[in-house]
Amino acid sequence: MQGQIYNCADAAEREEGMALAVKAAKSGRLVVMPTDTLYGLGCDAFDNDAVASLLATKHRGPDMPVPVLVGSWDTVKGLVASLDDTAQTLIEAFWPGGLSIVVPQAPSLPWNLGDTRGTVMLRMPLHPIAIELLREVGPMAVSSANISGQTPPTTAIAAKQQLGKAVTVYLDGGEAEVGKPSTIIDLSGPHPYLLREGALSAEQIGEVIGVSAESLRTRPGSQSS
């Protein structure tokens, strides 16, 4: 049934819901999954029609590209041009978890995530249901499961209240543990820059890569006072 919620605390329901979610994603439809930060609206990252449908469902344009979630560190290697030492250090420290990294994407990937300007935002979420789905489907384009401008949901029910039958399967993994969006760090420029502070603080990230929180908050090319 279109738009059904599957309670993943029940083993049989989880198995059924997961099988249907994998099938839906592989056939170009939208699914909602739990992550550690918020609930996500996702589809196969390489299905451009599905990504367009995801953006339309959120009432969002290509000017806000869709992030990509992965189910393992190894998956990243095929998606990026290269990973420098900073990116590698951050991945090892914070994945799976609440850090999204923006890095140059591998050339000639057959996807259209929006106006990415040659970059891709990647994250590996800390949630067993999300990881299982990602390992079955492969890299997924995933954005918060809300209409643009509305409150991002921390439960499957809250996601369904906004998205309804535009989504084929809702996987209910309980309330999102963190309850706020991931922190985004841009590693595509001359120095690391925090685009958004969320689940992780600038201080936590700076400590790992040996820079000050202030420098992470300073936009490249601007003068800090």
Side-chain angles (χ1 to χ4, degrees), residues 46 73-81 105-107 109 111:
F46 292 100
W73 290 2
D74 288 343
T75 307
V76 171
K77 295 172 184 173
L79 306 178
V80 302
Q105 70 172 39
L109 284 176
W111 62 17

Side-chain angles (χ1 to χ4, degrees), residues 60-135:
R60 188 161 123 177
D63 57 309
M64 295 177 70
V66 186
V68 172
L69 295 192
V70 296
S72 71
W73 290 2
D74 288 343
T75 307
V76 171
K77 295 172 184 173
L79 306 178
V80 302
S82 63
L83 284 179
D84 63 15
D85 290 343
T86 299
Q88 195 68 45
T89 298
L90 288 170
I91 286 172
E92 290 174 6
F94 295 114
W95 281 15
L99 183 68
S100 297
I101 63 170
V102 177
V103 290
Q105 70 172 39
S108 306
L109 284 176
W111 62 17
N112 181 8
L113 301 168
D115 301 333
T116 63
R117 300 178 185 178
T119 64
V120 60
M121 187 193 304
L122 298 168
R123 184 166 87 89
M124 182 179 174
L126 180 58
H127 199 293
I129 294 166
I131 293 293
E132 183 179 344
L133 182 63
L134 290 161
R135 288 182 176 173

